[in-house]
Amino acid sequence: MQIRDMNWMQVEDRLRSDDRAVIPLGSTEQHGYLSLCVDQILAERVATEAAEPLQVPVFPALPFGLAPYFASYPGTVSLRTSTYVALLHDLLSGVADGGARRILLVNGHGGNRAATNVALEFMNERPGVSVKWHDWWAAPDTMATVQAIDPDASHASWMENFPWTRLPGVELPDGGREMTDMTRMRALGAPAVRELLGDGNMGGRYQRSDEEMLRVWRAGVQETRDALEGPWS
C-alpha cells in the first residue's frame, strides 16, 4: 500500500484506524553488474509486498545511504553519517507528525546500520511512538535460506541478483569469486577498495536459479510482515 497511490486524506483515515507505517531505506552504490539502486529496489519491494495484506502505508524508499567504501565507483552516492542520522530523524518526525505511532524502518543496505541508534533516540524523544529497525536480508529465516542455498554469498553476488535487480542486455560472468577478506577491506580507503574488489562482487557466484532466488524472497517478505505484525513496544 504505497502512499504514492494515496492522497493525504486516505493516509489520514488509514492511520486513524491503524497507526503503523513503513519507511524503506536503500542506497545508491555499485552492485557489480546489477543496478546501482539494488538496495533501494529491494527495500521498497519487500516492504510493499509485506505490508499489502495488512494495508499498511509504505513511504517511498530513501535512495541514499552510507557507502563511503564504494566512493571510487561512479554512480555511488554516500551521505555523511551526521547527514544521514539527521535525515532519518526528520523522516521519522514527519511520519509521526502525520499520525503514525508504530514505524518500521525496512533497511536494505548493511552500511546504514551505523545509524540504528536513531530509532531508540527518537523513541526516547517521542514517548508513545515505537520505531523498529529491520534488516530484511539479514533476518534469521532469510539468512538461513541464503546459507542453505549457498554460504558463499555477499554484496553484488547471487544473493542480490533477483529478476528485478538485473539490467537488460547486461550479461553476467560465469562462475563466481572468492570471498573478500572483510578485515582487510575495512582497513582500506575507497580507491584501494575498488582495486581489491574489481567489478564489485565481494564473493560468491554471480547468479543462481530464479527458483532459488524466490525462496529467499518469500522468506524476506514473510519476516518483514512478521516485524510489522509485532510485537511493538
Side-chain angles (χ1 to χ4, degrees), residues 44-61:
E44 187 166 271
R45 184 169 181 136
V46 78
T48 300
E49 291 189 21
E52 188 62 33
L54 308 176
Q55 294 296 285
V56 173
V58 177
F59 283 76

Side-chain angles (χ1 to χ4, degrees), residues 215-231:
R215 284 172 53 195
V216 175
W217 189 251
R218 286 192 293 268
V221 170
Q222 185 59 57
E223 281 190 294
T224 303
R225 188 174 298 144
D226 291 343
L228 258 178
E229 292 182 319

Side-chain angles (χ1 to χ4, degrees), residues 22-194:
V22 185
I23 304 175
L25 306 177
S27 180
T28 300
E29 60 179 30
Q30 74 83 11
H31 274 84
Y33 295 88
L34 305 174
S35 169
L36 281 154
C37 294
V38 161
D39 295 337
Q40 174 189 350
I41 293 167
L42 296 181
E44 187 166 271
R45 184 169 181 136
V46 78
T48 300
E49 291 189 21
E52 188 62 33
L54 308 176
Q55 294 296 285
V56 173
V58 177
F59 283 76
L62 179 60
F64 304 114
L66 304 175
Y69 30 83
F70 294 147
S72 289
Y73 287 89
T76 296
V77 176
S78 183
L79 302 179
R80 294 182 182 181
T81 303
S82 58
T83 301
Y84 190 66
V85 168
L87 179 55
L88 285 184
H89 189 281
D90 287 351
L91 289 173
L92 289 170
S93 294
V95 175
D97 289 345
R101 293 295 175 266
R102 292 175 292 171
I103 305 171
L104 181 66
L105 297 172
V106 176
N107 179 43
H109 172 54
N112 293 342
R113 286 169 159 175
T116 53
N117 281 341
V118 74
L120 179 58
E121 292 172 355
F122 189 83
M123 287 190 289
N124 288 341
E125 297 169 8
R126 293 283 194 105
V129 176
S130 181
V131 181
K132 289 199 292 189
W133 183 289
H134 177 65
D135 294 318
W136 80 266
W137 82 97
D141 289 347
T142 305
M143 184 52 67
T145 303
V146 169
Q147 293 294 304
I149 293 171
D150 185 350
D152 287 341
S154 66
H155 175 86
S157 76
W158 70 268
M159 71 174 289
E160 297 190 291
N161 186 345
F162 293 89
W164 38 89
T165 57
R166 298 172 197 151
L167 298 173
V170 176
E171 293 188 13
L172 279 70
D174 293 329
R177 298 188 57 180
E178 292 185 4
M179 298 299 290
T180 297
D181 182 342
M182 295 303 298
T183 301
R184 178 187 175 195
M185 184 182 134
R186 291 190 183 101
L188 301 176
V193 168
R194 177 171 174 173

